[in-house]
Amino acid sequence: MNNDSPIGIFDSGFGGLTVLKAINDVNPSESTVYIGDSKRYPYGPRKPEEIKRFAVEISQSLIDDYRVKMIVIACNTASAAALNHLKAQFDIPIIGVIAPGVKAALSVTNSKSIGVIGTVTTISSGAYQIEFASKDSDVDLHALACPGFVEFVERGDTTSDQVHVLAERLLAPFATFKIDTLLLGCTHYPFLARTISDVVGRDVILVSSADETAFEVDRVLKENSLAASEDNLGKRLYLSSGDPEEFAKIGRTLLGEPISDVKVWKFKS
Ligand code: DGL
């Protein structure tokens, strides 16, 4: 492992690509290895203990098989369930997406009436409620779980009538909350930004954790003297526990960028 070793990034599927893109944009010299655990998605309805087990297995593989110098948990559900556990278990820097998301939301809100949406496990973990309260006790937070959104994104469907109908049903409570900012507390949701914005109204600012996470990666790498040399040409490796061709195809459509050479990642448990 050295400064030009890759950063490991993982998610239950395509969602973490939103974070990967920001990391690649902010830090183009950094190489990245992305694992999408597509075969076991969605993580959202699973028990925290099971998600923790998946997160440990993926992190161990990133360290042993790909010699990563840092890990980004590009999944809110896994960040809520496993960040502290992974930090205690592994001795490389590990960051999640919850604290960066909260930072991003606080930087744009005026009214401090903020909504956050995520998977059932993320919202019921209380991770956002705790993080917001620790940063600004004046925030009036409205947290809602949105079961079903992830499945639409994993099928590459981000704008159909069906996903629109689901969004109208799930997001209806925000009509009465008068929020000015909506934090997308699931890395899959930025792919649904247009649909979500249609439903909550254009005057609500949608915020994702992606950019702030990329800045945090930059900061942590520098702090640990782990930044890649500036002339390093960042390489991209994609792995999926599902069908690699499907991953490349849907991933390319969602991201609007080519995703080439996806390899199979096999889980043991
Ligand atoms: N992208 C994951 C997150 O941010 C989605 C979890 C899932 O697979 O349900 O929570």
Side-chain angles (χ1 to χ4, degrees):
M1 203 259 276
N2 59 42
N3 281 42
D4 292 340
S5 298
I7 299 168
I9 302 168
F10 73 90
D11 178 50
S12 62
F14 295 116
L17 292 178
T18 57
V19 179
L20 173 86
K21 183 172 169 20
I23 291 172
N24 288 164
D25 288 348
V26 171
N27 307 278
S29 329
E30 299 293 343
S31 296
T32 50
V33 177
Y34 182 90
I35 295 183
D37 197 3
S38 314
K39 197 155 194 172
R40 297 189 290 195
Y41 95 93
Y43 280 7
R46 293 181 185 271
K47 296 256 180 313
E49 279 313 312
E50 187 175 35
I51 298 164
K52 213 185 266 182
R53 185 161 55 76
F54 294 171
V56 168
E57 184 184 18
I58 294 170
S59 301
Q60 193 72 64
S61 169
L62 284 167
I63 292 168
D64 293 348
D65 306 330
Y66 301 96
R67 305 275 162 215
V68 301
K69 60 182 176 181
M70 174 184 190
I71 290 176
V72 179
I73 312 174
C75 172
N76 291 262
T77 312
S79 297
L83 176 62
N84 292 338
H85 186 73
L86 296 186
K87 277 180 149 178
Q89 180 149 349
F90 300 108
D91 59 3
I92 58 171
I94 300 185
I95 67 168
V97 283
I98 289 176
V102 168
K103 192 172 174 195
L106 289 174
S107 72
V108 299
T109 184
N110 282 317
S111 68
K112 297 202 179 178
S113 180
I114 299 176
V116 61
I117 53 176
T119 67
V120 171
T121 301
T122 300
I123 298 302
S124 60
S125 74
Y128 273 107
Q129 292 85 334
I130 293 166
E131 184 65 19
F132 271 109
S134 77
K135 291 290 177 311
D136 189 335
S137 55
D138 290 338
V139 166
D140 184 18
L141 187 68
H142 303 277
L144 268 186
C146 290
F149 274 177
V150 167
E151 288 85 336
F152 273 99
V153 174
E154 286 293 316
R155 290 195 294 267
D157 176 357
T158 56
T159 53
S160 68
D161 288 350
Q162 287 88 338
V163 70
H164 209 281
V165 167
L166 179 65
E168 278 178 352
R169 185 167 62 75
L170 292 172
L171 303 172
F174 287 123
T176 52
F177 292 152
K178 299 268 175 286
I179 54 167
D180 75 344
T181 303
L182 180 59
L183 174 54
L184 307 179
C186 169
T187 53
H188 282 69
Y189 297 175
F191 292 125
L192 298 170
R194 196 189 175 124
T195 298
I196 292 170
S197 187
D198 279 349
V199 173
V200 296
R202 296 277 182 253
D203 50 337
V204 174
I205 304 167
L206 301 189
V207 176
S208 92
S209 57
D211 288 343
E212 207 52 63
T213 302
F215 298 138
E216 180 67 2
V217 166
D218 201 41
R219 195 189 64 71
V220 170
L221 287 176
K222 285 185 178 135
E223 189 180 86
N224 289 277
S225 305
L226 280 173
S229 41
E230 273 183 16
D231 57 354
N232 188 52
L233 210 57
K235 295 182 207 59
R236 321 273 169 249
L237 175 61
Y238 299 91
L239 298 135
S240 168
S241 59
D243 177 353
E245 278 173 28
E246 192 74 0
F247 188 91
K249 196 171 117 219
I250 297 181
R252 188 185 315 125
T253 311
L254 289 169
L255 212 53
E257 282 178 14
I259 291 183
S260 55
D261 197 21
V262 182
K263 303 243 180 325
V264 175
W265 181 78
K266 282 198 168 64
F267 53 83
K268 297 174 192 86
S269 50

